Amino acid sequence: MSHSLHQSLAARGYRLTAARRAILDTLLDSGGHLTADELTDLVRGRSAGIGRMTVYRTLELLCGLGLLRPVYQGTGAAHYVLMHDGHHHHLVCSGCGRVIEFDECALGDLPARIAGRYGFRVEGHLLELYGVCVECS
Amino acid sequence: MSHSLHQSLAARGYRLTAARRAILDTLLDSGGHLTADELTDLVRGRSAGIGRMTVYRTLELLCGLGLLRPVYQGTGAAHYVLMHDGHHHHLVCSGCGRVIEFDECALGDLPARIAGRYGFRVEGHLLELYGVCVECS
DNA sequence: CTCTGTGCAAAGGATTTGCACTACG
DNA sequence: CGTAGTGCAAATCCTTTGCACAGAG
């Protein structure tokens, strides 16, 4: 499990450097939902001397491979979420801005229907539900 | 149809100024998928003298009302998409970055199940499918 | 009339280059 | 060894404030 990201990189011919290893490990341990800066700080706590740009570039690389996804949670910096098993599901509260993850995947045969209709091969997805959480009701 | 946004604002006590009217009309006509800057240019073509910040503030307002949503398409500026009828569906190609909209909504009774489990009232959603389009295969 | 909304300019952040240097494979 | 990857600093770009003025209700 903690090797899937590393192997995904290696398998595509990308080098597994110390910096990338630290970034990947931090991402996996943190569970996602981090900005680039938050991630940089965490990475540096684990392995000093890693530059902000290396973090940015690694994030960009992972996004290009479909393993990570930037989401815009209102204001400020982009948050990056891991696409565990190719998908990710959010509940976003309009009141307090809180983000809750949930696992239930209700897509059914939609990917197959999309493939049939648009010739589009679906590899992953992000579903965000917007509304109001219990506390904000 | 072209009045739903205007009425949503008016009904909540927001003023329907000339600038907001122009921005709302442009948004509706363009079909969405615009950055703030692209929208500003379009708005100015229709009604000169409208400032960039007015556009930003109107976008922020609409996002707060759940009528619009910022999405992060890779790099650069945020793209804003209209939440027609509270939902929006994307096909995003990892190859060329193209974004295709589709209408099929496959959520079924998920909102009801989420409400039961998390006490979260679902008002809208964004579904993004990632993969490879026909041309990039 | 009053208070919300607007526009400008300037500040504040986040992200991105350019380039010499390091180290993975 | 050669090339992909790194780190720093500076540049660039997007977005947000502060404040005086205009216009909607």
Side-chain angles (χ1 to χ4, degrees), chain B:
Chain B
M1 187 53 176
S2 88
H3 284 157
S4 59
L5 281 183
H6 304 66
Q7 288 173 354
S8 295
L9 285 197
R12 309 201 204 198
Y14 295 102
R15 296 191 178 166
L16 256 190
T17 64
R20 283 186 179 161
R21 238 183 286 264
I23 293 169
L24 265 41
D25 288 343
T26 308
L27 262 179
L28 287 165
D29 289 355
S30 71
H33 290 233
L34 295 170
T35 66
D37 261 355
E38 291 165 350
L39 180 59
T40 301
D41 288 345
L42 285 178
V43 168
R44 282 176 167 163
R46 172 184 303 238
S47 168
I50 291 182
R52 204 191 332 283
M53 9 263 55
T54 302
V55 173
Y56 273 108
R57 281 185 283 228
T58 303
L59 290 174
E60 187 187 6
L61 175 62
L62 294 175
C63 286
L65 297 178
L67 304 170
L68 196 70
R69 187 75 201 169
V71 302
Y72 210 56
Q73 327 236 74
T75 192
H79 287 64
Y80 292 85
V81 301
L82 277 173
M83 299 295 279
H84 292 294
D85 306 317
H87 53 130
H88 202 102
H89 311 113
H90 278 169
L91 255 39
V92 182
C93 177
S94 318
C96 57
R98 199 152 58 101
V99 177
I100 307 166
E101 277 183 64
F102 69 97
D103 282 330
E104 220 166 319
C105 185
L107 252 52
D109 61 348
L110 182 65
R113 290 210 304 279
I114 292 296
R117 178 169 311 183
Y118 299 92
F120 189 98
R121 179 159 41 90
V122 177
E123 292 174 337
H125 66 262
L126 171 67
L127 172 60
E128 293 197 317
L129 303 184
Y130 309 118
V132 184
C133 74
V134 198
E135 279 105 42
C136 290
S137 289

Side-chain angles (χ1 to χ4, degrees), chain A:
Chain A
M1 188 53 175
S2 88
H3 283 157
S4 58
L5 281 183
H6 304 65
Q7 288 174 352
S8 295
L9 285 197
R12 309 201 203 198
Y14 295 103
R15 294 189 181 169
L16 255 189
T17 64
R20 284 185 178 163
R21 237 183 286 262
I23 293 168
L24 265 41
D25 289 343
T26 307
L27 262 180
L28 287 165
D29 289 355
S30 71
H33 290 234
L34 295 169
T35 65
D37 261 355
E38 290 166 350
L39 180 59
T40 302
D41 288 345
L42 285 178
V43 168
R44 282 176 168 164
R46 173 186 302 239
S47 170
I50 291 182
R52 205 192 329 283
M53 2 264 66
T54 302
V55 173
Y56 273 108
R57 281 184 284 229
T58 304
L59 289 174
E60 187 188 5
L61 175 61
L62 293 175
C63 286
L65 297 177
L67 304 170
L68 195 69
R69 188 73 200 169
V71 302
Y72 210 56
Q73 326 237 73
T75 191
H79 287 64
Y80 291 84
V81 301
L82 278 173
M83 300 294 281
H84 291 293
D85 306 316
H87 52 131
H88 204 103
H89 311 113
H90 279 169
L91 254 41
V92 183
C93 177
S94 319
C96 57
R98 199 151 56 100
V99 177
I100 307 166
E101 277 183 65
F102 68 98
D103 282 330
E104 220 167 318
C105 185
L107 251 52
D109 62 349
L110 182 64
R113 290 210 304 279
I114 292 296
R117 177 169 310 181
Y118 300 93
F120 190 97
R121 179 160 41 89
V122 177
E123 292 173 339
H125 66 263
L126 171 68
L127 172 60
E128 293 198 315
L129 303 184
Y130 309 118
V132 184
C133 74
V134 198
E135 280 105 41
C136 291
S137 289

